Amino acid sequence: MIVVTDTSPLRYLIVLGNEWILPRLYRRILCPEVVFRECSSPGAPLVVRAWATNPPDWFEICEVTGISRPELGLLDPGERYAIELALKERATAVLMDELAGRQAAREVGLIAVGTIGILAESARSGWIDYDSTVARLLDETNFRVGSDVIELGRSHAQGR
């Protein structure tokens, strides 16, 4: 499976020390250059900037030139370019948390997977404990999500 990542899931996984999940779940992880620059920016958490100085081999940074879909113009650059790259590379999914970006991805036929979905699938595979990892995500970052989404993730993690 080929996925393209936007900034937020990647940043949250790095902050938690769980970015190793990505190559286990997905065959190829592509990242638009604009997203990678966001991870390297002074506003990014120090651990994310440090990670970005030497990204792992499984992480592919891709240049995206131009936007072919005007309807994506209202999205943030990371979301816009992630969707464009996913379409260009015929990716199965985009990793994205922002609601508008997720809706736009679905409208063009992509699967949108957020941080909670990544953690739920990892827990289902037995690699992490879902509840303690989500608790850390909420305590240690600025991640915000409704309790209904957390419960849906928990159900998936438990195989229901």
Side-chain angles (χ1 to χ4, degrees), residues 39-118:
C39 292
S40 306
S41 75
L46 182 58
V47 66
V48 175
R49 291 191 318 245
W51 183 90
T53 62
N54 189 25
D57 292 340
W58 52 260
F59 187 74
E60 299 178 47
I61 302 165
C62 304
E63 184 177 346
V64 180
T65 55
I67 297 296
S68 64
R69 295 180 176 264
E71 68 268 26
L72 300 178
L74 299 176
L75 300 176
D76 289 338
E79 297 158 2
R80 193 168 53 236
Y81 284 95
I83 292 170
E84 283 286 343
L85 180 59
L87 292 170
K88 176 185 169 207
E89 295 292 329
R90 300 184 194 281
T92 305
V94 289
L95 308 180
M96 187 175 292
D97 286 320
E98 296 78 7
L99 182 59
R102 293 167 60 88
Q103 289 173 334
R106 287 187 196 109
E107 287 172 8
V108 297
L110 296 168
I111 297 168
V113 181
T115 301
I116 293 294
I118 296 166

Side-chain angles (χ1 to χ4, degrees), residues 1 37 62 98 158:
M1 175 187 287
R37 283 196 308 268
C62 304
E98 296 78 7
Q158 295 170 348

Side-chain angles (χ1 to χ4, degrees), residues 16 18 116 119 123 127-140 150 154 157:
L16 293 174
N18 288 342
I116 293 294
L119 296 177
W127 303 328
I128 64 166
D129 177 77
Y130 178 80
D131 289 320
S132 64
T133 305
V134 170
R136 285 188 55 226
L137 176 67
L138 297 173
D139 290 343
E140 298 174 21
I150 292 172
R154 181 179 293 115

